[in-house]
Amino acid sequence: PSLQPPPRPRLRATTTMAANAQDSHAPLRPEGKKDEDKDEETEYSPFYGIEKGLVLQESRCFHDPQIDPRRCQQVITKLLYLLCQGETFTRVEATEVFFAVTKLFQNTDVNLRRMVYLIIKELSPSSEEVIIVTSSLMKDMNAKIDLYRSNALRVLCHIIDATLLQQIERYIKQAIVDKNSAVASAALVSGFQLYCNTPGAADVVKRWGSEISEAVQSKNSLVQFHGLALLHAIRQNDRLAISKMVTSLTRGGAVRSPLAQCLLVRYVARVISESTPQPGQERPFYEFLESCLRHKAEMVIFEAARAITEMNEVTTRELTPAITVLQLFLSSSKPVLRFAAVRTLNKVAMTHPMAVTNCNIDMESLISDSNRSISTLAITTLLKTGNESSVERLMKQISTFMGDIQDEFKIVVVDAIKAMCIKFPSKYRALMNFLSNILREEGGFEYKRAIVEAILMIIRDIPDAKETGLGHLCEFIEDCEFTYLSTQILSLLGKEAPKTQDPSKYIRYIYNRVILENATVRAAAVSALAKMGAACPDLKPRILVLLRRTLHDTDDEVRDRATLYLNMLGAPEERKALGGEGGLVADGFPFGPANLEQTLQKYLAGPLDAPFELSSVPVAPVKKAEDEVKSSGAMMAAAMGGSTKAPNPKDLYEEMLNAIPEFASLGPLQSSSMPVELTERDTEYVITCVKHMYESHVVFQYNCLNTIDEQILEDVTVTMDLSEEPELEEKMSLPLKVMPTGAGETPGTTFVVVERVDGAMPAAKVGCMLKFTTKEVDPSTGEAEEEGYADEYQLEDVDLEYTDYVSKLSVGNFRKAWEEMGEETELADEYGIGQREGLQEAVEVLIATLGMSPCEGTDAVPPNARSHMALLSGKLVGDVSLLVRLSLGIDASSNVAMKLVARADSAAGSEFVHGIIANA
């Protein structure tokens, strides 16, 4: 088979070794050569100039009657080098080498046997070839030499499949409990690789449970470590089994290996994160984590401290012992402990800054640490936890090492400074001066952008810092090599400079960009000048002079902008036609490019007798038909559990609905549904419906598009048959004057407003009929007839579902929200869900049925889980918050049972949730 292993770093050695690579009889290193002499010699790869063909010829030495172990080792080394460098071996070449290597089992040289093991693993023989070498490897597995036994076991488990595994299963089980630790560890590691990587081997490995459990009790550190890792891998999909395993191992000090103890701490942390303790109860296994903080091994102490700091909803009381241990590590003589401690404290400071303040004195001593990663993490942590009086001192200390760290660490520092400026706005001068100083230093684009964004944030949030910040940005663009940053700053100057006390001082900085920069920056500078001229009448004459100078620019865009702005700021009649002086220049166009493009296309398609008017461009954003289809498709994909991220339907329509005067009395929009197709896409009329929920009304929005060019549809309405729905009453209908025609046009909209009598929330299936007046279009003239005729078109029924009254609500801390909701409105009941392929399918169906949002990642069910708890949150029409806990279990026949516990702002909300499930 073709072999393409990943490339590895090339080895380096002396000139003598390079020559020896071609002379297999020469020693690897001349006698008497000292290591300290190698620095004085030229370094080459010992395998320089090796060719695959020559090495394959050399491999014929494997067939010699008298095998030379030394020579064979060197040939195998060259073969391994070629494989590791990505050299491709054909199937014939690989097979020939493999069969030649198998003959080396006849030699008893220990070093040669180890090389044979390596080359067999790298060649990865096929299933037919494995049989040839199996007997030799099994012989080595039962040899008296422990080195043979462990290595042969590793190789054999690497190349066999599940069928052959069953034949040697008893040998592996014996090796797991072998007295020799190297053999036992090799067997356990091989079992782990088989379980994870060999198809069909997992079921065989699961039968070794008793032997693996015995290995977990071993006194050898590595055997216990490997045994625990394999035992967890076998049981990882069974939460109950993992919980039992963790419970048994955390009692009585059964785990003595520091490596195994670290694994156990991680497994305990996972169990804690998956458990949901009742209010007022202590977390399970927290006492074990706290006891690990007193372990004699430093790695165990740190692992326990990190596990405690990463617990969900961790309290200050729980954090205190972990913070104390990490504080001791800050003063350790070992750099790795200092780095681990300060990095963990840096993460804790993001959520619990007050808990880390006791470590500030120790972290200040790390600012001058020789390891710049440690010093950077220390300073950023201090920026998050420090007080107002320490700002200047910290800034002075940071400036001493900013030039010695990489850009990625500098960005971390800048983000920390930005957060500190929000925390202590009175210290903006010191922070702004520091940012301006590092802005003038060398750095990459991401680093510079982080600084500029920090300054822009300070300007936006702290009014007193505006002029200082603008001054620093003006100095920066004088020598800025990044076009994107220059254009952003020029745009900001055009908006903010006129609002300062002396706007004229910024003109020089802006006009310098017109003279010295590229076309993109020059165009941005022209726009900035025009905005200043429109906003500052006193400066307009000077601005006009500068704009006229740019009329002869070499770039079309710059000249066009200058011409446009001169007309807009110049003659009164031009100003009036273009929206008045300063209107469009300072504030920009009130419409988007898509609106302008569409209006221009319609203008060019018609008679050109009248001039084009900007007032004819619609202000509302234009949404193309295909865009609406894409957005609805995205929402549907997300609702079905796909990876596409759906936009919030309410955000898509809220602005449009609020602009309709007839809807002002309905109150605020509660929620909107995804578009539902009422016709086939390839029919003459494309109609979709969107349901908008208000406190006591439902607005049905019908998006209509005519695909027949030979007719025009006017006075378009949709009538809804509500005769069988006593709780729904139609209040008004807003017709569509003319239905847009053409596949590429934006759909028109007609609305039907329905009142829910007494605030009822019924489920209904409503028949719909599209009614309109049809006017035929003369194909010769393209004009429609004056007289039309009434017509109608049957649409699909619109389903008003219970989930339409529920909108998704994101809850950051479900446990806290659940406790605050109280037990007064709690309502619990049990339901049968029927047969499902697994709990994951059941959870997805329930989330879609309830229309609520999953919390804390509980929508993902662990593989092969037999029980699961899902947490959901939502909001009912009328601003009623809903919280739901779903406890699910599945039996051997795949029947799913569920206990639903609901809490809401009102008892009616909890009853409504249970009603959805009962009527599903």
Side-chain angles (χ1 to χ4, degrees), residues 594-595 598 620-632 635 647 652-653 656 675 701 703 744-748:
N595 302 61
Q598 188 180 90
V622 170
K623 189 176 184 63
K624 295 183 179 180
E626 57 267 25
D627 294 337
E628 183 168 342
V629 171
K630 290 179 182 178
S631 64
S632 63
M635 289 185 286
L652 296 174
Y653 302 105
M656 178 194 68
Q701 173 187 332
N703 304 315
E745 292 293 324
T746 303

Side-chain angles (χ1 to χ4, degrees), residues 467-481:
E467 294 207 21
T468 305
L470 292 178
H472 292 317
L473 293 177
C474 287
E475 294 177 2
F476 170 63
I477 60 174
E478 289 288 331
D479 189 26
C480 178
E481 57 182 317

